[in-house]
Amino acid sequence: MFRRILNLAVLALVVTASCTAEKPAAPAPEPQPVIPAQPAALEPERSYEVHSALVRPNETIVSALGRIGVEVAQTNAIVDALAGIFDFRKINIGDELRITTSAGELELFELRRGPVEEYRVRKEGDRLVGSAREFKVEKEVVRIAGTLESSLWDAIMRTGEEPLVAMAFADVLAFDVDFYLDPRKGDTFQIVIEKYIHEGRTVRYGDVLAAEYDGQLVGRKRVFRYPNPETGRLEYYAEGGGAARRTFLKTPLKFAFISSKFGSRFHPILKYLKQHEGVDYAAGTGTPVWAIADGTVTLAGYNGACGNMVAVRHSNGLESIYCHFSKIASGIHAGGRVAQKTVIGYVGMTGRATGPHLHFAVKRGGRFINPLSLKFPPSDPLPASELPKFAEAIEPMQELLGNLKLASANHQVEVVGP
């Protein structure tokens, strides 16, 4: 009995030891290979096509873009996107058009009209959005001066400025100086004008603020820009307040030279002496021609030996006649009114002519008179009550013109203000 109990006790101890003994550690799992993350699939690269064109004579935006494959419906969408921003009826010869497409769809349209004028239409989602590109343009006031060696045009070109300066100067003084007959070697000029600059480049000129021509035949002529107190329109006045504007211009062109005067002459085509009932101005084809005064157009069309011709009747009984135009200006027609300095046509050689020139004639009471002998009074001067204000306004310009020292090279350009 005792032995049986002892055996049971030993068995219990063995079982307890077995239960409390540490179990062997489970084998570590084998490492799994690391699979790198796959990159997201790339969209196929888009291809773009760019086409450009310059606007040609007599083209519309539809025909210009049509040359580079733009359909009418797409052109209409471009025009609609720029509605209120740009009027496509104003496109000019030489304007640059550029279209960027992808998969046949418009991405970008660009219209470049000069160094600081650009318009764009860009695709944004499902819409076309138009905008005008902004450029930083700075305004300077410059004084330009020189001495004539041959002509005013050549003298201004020697200053390094653009031809527009010469034209603006002649425009301002057209009532006082005949730039075909009056200039002499040694005459001097000064002009104070606004100039707009973009990245060091002149992009355009603004208003002429003051101008002076000191000539051996005409003496010293000075004019200053000042608003007309009645109309508010900017006009030009002499130092004493007298109007620079006259009822009639001295000449109908800015620059040319007289090739034949009024009177008897040997006709170059008919080959006999014939009364020349006007003045011929030699100028390049396409040179613009002004109406010398306000009036009503009595004839605008082809008229035999005179070729393309315009005649204008004026209020004081005079009639001015312009012949041999290469083209009559748009909008000029019989019965229409024209203002002084309106461009009525362009120099040519239609009709009986041996070369491009303007035949200019004037009638009084139905009879031809010599245009070069005509003298006309100026328009109304500033009222006396306005003179103190005018004198104060032009004083800075008077100082600029009065203190000028011509450079040894006989021409100079000086920046005088922002």
Side-chain angles (χ1 to χ4, degrees), residues 25-226:
E30 294 189 9
Q32 298 296 318
V34 177
I35 301 176
Q38 295 298 315
L42 296 176
E43 293 183 4
E45 185 175 349
R46 302 181 69 182
S47 61
Y48 295 89
E49 292 186 5
V50 179
H51 299 279
S52 62
L54 299 179
V55 176
R56 296 174 179 173
N58 302 317
E59 275 194 324
T60 64
I61 186 62
V62 173
S63 57
L65 287 180
R67 284 193 289 109
I68 55 176
V70 181
E71 297 181 354
V72 174
Q74 187 68 79
T75 299
N76 290 337
I78 291 171
V79 172
D80 291 343
L82 284 170
I85 300 174
F86 178 72
D87 184 352
F88 279 94
R89 292 174 296 182
K90 296 180 180 179
I91 61 170
N92 295 325
I93 297 171
D95 286 353
E96 182 181 359
L97 310 172
R98 186 162 55 188
I99 290 283
T100 302
T101 61
S102 177
E105 293 188 4
L106 176 71
E107 296 291 332
L108 178 66
F109 165 79
E110 297 168 284
L111 167 63
R112 189 77 182 255
R113 309 187 75 233
V116 291
E117 187 177 1
E118 184 175 316
Y119 302 91
R120 292 179 173 180
V121 174
R122 186 182 297 277
K123 184 179 180 182
E124 295 184 4
D126 295 330
R127 297 189 310 134
L128 292 179
V129 179
S131 63
R133 183 180 173 189
E134 295 185 357
F135 295 84
K136 183 179 179 181
V137 178
E138 297 177 347
K139 184 178 77 172
E140 294 179 348
V141 175
V142 299
R143 178 176 54 186
I144 303 164
T147 301
L148 273 65
E149 294 294 331
S150 56
S151 68
L152 174 69
W153 180 278
D154 290 338
I156 290 181
M157 293 304 96
R158 289 199 306 273
T159 68
E161 296 296 324
E162 299 294 328
L164 287 174
V165 174
M167 298 174 72
F169 185 87
D171 192 358
V172 167
L173 288 169
F175 300 99
D176 291 314
V177 182
D178 184 335
F179 285 104
Y180 314 106
L181 299 176
D182 297 337
R184 294 292 184 273
K185 183 177 180 178
D187 291 357
T188 61
F189 69 89
Q190 305 179 54
I191 180 171
V192 180
I193 190 171
E194 296 169 334
K195 188 175 180 180
Y196 292 85
I197 309 294
H198 171 64
E199 296 181 350
R201 177 183 175 186
T202 301
V203 295
R204 68 182 178 90
Y205 294 90
D207 291 328
V208 174
L209 306 182
E212 176 189 288
Y213 187 87
D214 195 350
Q216 298 167 50
L217 291 185
V218 299
R220 191 183 76 174
K221 303 292 183 181
R222 277 186 175 182
V223 296
F224 301 88
R225 188 188 68 162
Y226 190 75

Side-chain angles (χ1 to χ4, degrees), residues 20 129 207 296 361 387:
T20 57
V129 179
D207 291 328
T296 301
L387 292 181

Side-chain angles (χ1 to χ4, degrees), residues 241-324:
R245 186 178 188 270
R246 282 173 167 72
T247 53
F248 277 68
L249 291 172
K250 296 189 78 171
T251 56
L253 299 91
K254 294 182 181 181
F255 292 101
F257 66 89
I258 293 177
S259 56
S260 183
K261 294 184 179 181
F262 184 90
S264 180
R265 67 164 182 171
F266 184 78
H267 197 282
I269 294 179
L270 301 178
K271 304 299 183 185
Y272 61 81
L273 282 175
K274 186 178 185 297
Q275 180 69 12
H276 189 228
E277 297 174 325
V279 175
D280 288 348
Y281 291 96
T285 298
T287 301
V289 177
W290 286 327
I292 61 169
D294 299 350
T296 301
V297 177
T298 58
L299 188 152
Y302 197 86
N303 190 26
C306 211
N308 291 326
M309 167 183 161
V310 172
V312 182
R313 184 178 64 247
H314 308 287
S315 59
N316 57 358
L318 293 179
E319 183 181 20
S320 57
I321 298 166
Y322 314 79
C323 298
H324 306 305

